[in-house]
Amino acid sequence: MREITDTEIAHYHEHGAVYLPELLDQDWIARMDTAFTEEMFADPAGLNHIDIGANASAMNAQGMTLLASNPDLATGRFWVRTFNWSRFEAVRSLGCDAPMPETIAHLMGSSRLNFYGEQVFFKEAGSLHRTAFHQDAPYFHLTGEQCCTVWMPLDEVDGDNGMMGYVRGSHRWDMHAANVFASQTPIPGSVEKQLPDIEGNEDDYDIVYYPARPGDAIVHHVKTVHGSTGNTASRDRRALALRYLGDDIRYFEREGAAYDSQKSATLVNGDLMDSAEFPLIWTDSQGYITP
Ligand SMILES: O=C(O)CCC(=O)C(=O)O
């Protein structure tokens, strides 16, 4: 894995997202490619698995407007899976062993780092659904600014098969409601206001889309508004998102937040995140700590 530059770090803090071309070397690319096979996708045991495409169709049948213009024609699945790292050694190793954690701590300006787990986003060829623009913060049970996602494509990505887009500077926006991903409709129980209709008015926002290849990464801040295009191509799009927490993050059980997978069995509001679920994996005084 290569080092990141001061210019890239400054870009992250100014814009809330930074594209890091060729971050991973061929060895890491091969290990991730092997981890995320059809066999893994076929076996949901122990994983928090959400079938966004099927959920969207069910909600559409009840009258909810979707972002895909013709979801009935979808020929592929759109899944998200959380906490693969406890079962897949390659995922744990990329997320928790040197050099990724120290690199990300350096990027965020943090003296310690907790691993906040990861998710795999599988947009199969023809899955059509956009990922609605959203911030991650309203899905997470925490407060603070030093939380980021390292999003990495495992297949080549462009505008036709799930390219990620980021609203520059939106990490300084207020927090908005979490949505159901295939629609801008807020998740039931949300207390924050809905994001504006960004998909319908893209020219009004400073959005940057990044075509990307295996080995590249895009790091975004927990409040940066981001989303991805649908997959209208004949190529699958697999992506792995690693999440990390720095010095200023504290546990906070958020009313209306959807992801129980981001809740801890032991932490109470105001705690540092150190726990079995979100292990401390690196500090500048101790170095790496094996979870
Ligand atoms: O891969 C996608 O379409 C969405 C990813 C995402 O929202 C995230 O990693 O936070």
Side-chain angles (χ1 to χ4, degrees):
M1 211 180 110
R2 73 166 172 88
E3 300 205 336
I4 53 173
T5 66
D6 289 347
T7 307
E8 288 170 333
I9 293 172
H11 191 99
Y12 170 79
H13 289 283
E14 184 178 348
H15 298 292
V18 61
Y19 170 57
L20 304 173
E22 297 180 11
L23 183 70
L24 302 184
D25 64 15
Q26 287 303 326
D27 183 46
W28 277 121
I29 294 172
R31 287 174 74 182
M32 288 306 114
D33 191 54
T34 307
F36 293 99
T37 58
E38 188 62 32
E39 184 191 347
M40 175 181 182
F41 288 123
D43 175 13
L47 301 171
N48 189 325
H49 172 108
I50 303 173
D51 189 333
I52 294 173
N55 288 354
S57 299
M59 290 185 281
N60 189 231
Q62 290 167 11
M64 191 183 74
T65 308
L66 300 179
L67 291 168
S69 50
N70 47 3
D72 291 345
L73 302 181
T75 53
R77 300 161 288 177
F78 178 19
W79 288 347
V80 56
R81 288 188 171 196
T82 305
F83 281 109
N84 305 285
W85 68 279
S86 54
R87 284 186 63 210
F88 296 93
E89 167 56 19
V91 182
R92 188 212 57 77
S93 181
L94 179 63
C96 301
D97 295 342
M100 183 72 86
E102 190 171 354
T103 303
I104 297 304
H106 187 49
L107 177 98
M108 290 202 291
S110 182
S111 66
R112 68 203 307 279
L113 206 76
N114 292 71
F115 187 46
Y116 197 45
E118 42 60 54
Q119 291 183 301
V120 173
F121 293 90
F122 180 45
K123 281 195 174 184
E124 202 173 23
S127 54
L128 301 185
H129 291 287
R130 276 199 69 108
T131 304
F133 281 106
H134 64 279
Q135 298 166 304
D136 291 336
Y139 297 89
F140 293 170
H141 297 284
L142 52 76
T143 59
E145 299 292 323
Q146 288 172 311
C147 171
C148 73
T149 291
V150 184
W151 187 95
M152 290 166 288
L154 307 176
D155 300 293
E156 197 160 338
V157 181
D158 57 31
D160 293 335
N161 72 332
M163 183 168 62
M164 292 290 286
Y166 301 82
V167 180
R168 274 195 277 227
S170 55
H171 58 313
R172 295 192 198 90
W173 290 12
D174 289 342
M175 195 161 77
H176 291 73
N179 62 41
V180 297
F181 255 55
S183 162
Q184 296 165 345
T185 305
I187 56 170
S190 294
V191 292
E192 296 89 2
K193 67 178 177 197
Q194 189 173 338
L195 271 173
D197 175 14
I198 302 174
E199 289 84 3
N201 301 282
E202 292 211 8
D203 290 347
D204 295 345
Y205 296 89
D206 185 8
I207 301 172
V208 57
Y209 281 95
Y210 294 111
R213 300 157 63 105
D216 297 349
I218 307 165
V219 185
H220 69 260
H221 181 280
V222 69
K223 283 202 299 218
T224 300
V225 176
H226 60 284
S228 70
T229 65
N231 189 345
T232 56
S234 54
R235 293 167 287 129
D236 292 344
R237 194 220 69 177
R238 299 165 299 159
L240 172 65
L242 303 175
R243 313 213 194 255
Y244 294 100
L245 312 171
D247 292 318
D248 78 343
I249 300 295
R250 297 290 180 275
Y251 190 69
F252 174 70
E253 284 204 6
R254 191 175 300 289
E255 195 186 336
Y259 284 168
D260 282 350
S261 62
Q262 308 302 118
K263 269 190 188 161
S264 164
T266 54
L267 299 177
V268 298
N269 288 356
D271 280 353
L272 277 172
M273 299 294 284
D274 304 359
S275 57
E277 296 92 346
F278 316 122
L280 181 66
I281 53 171
W282 178 88
T283 74
D284 60 5
S285 53
Q286 290 170 267
Y288 283 91
I289 303 159
T290 306

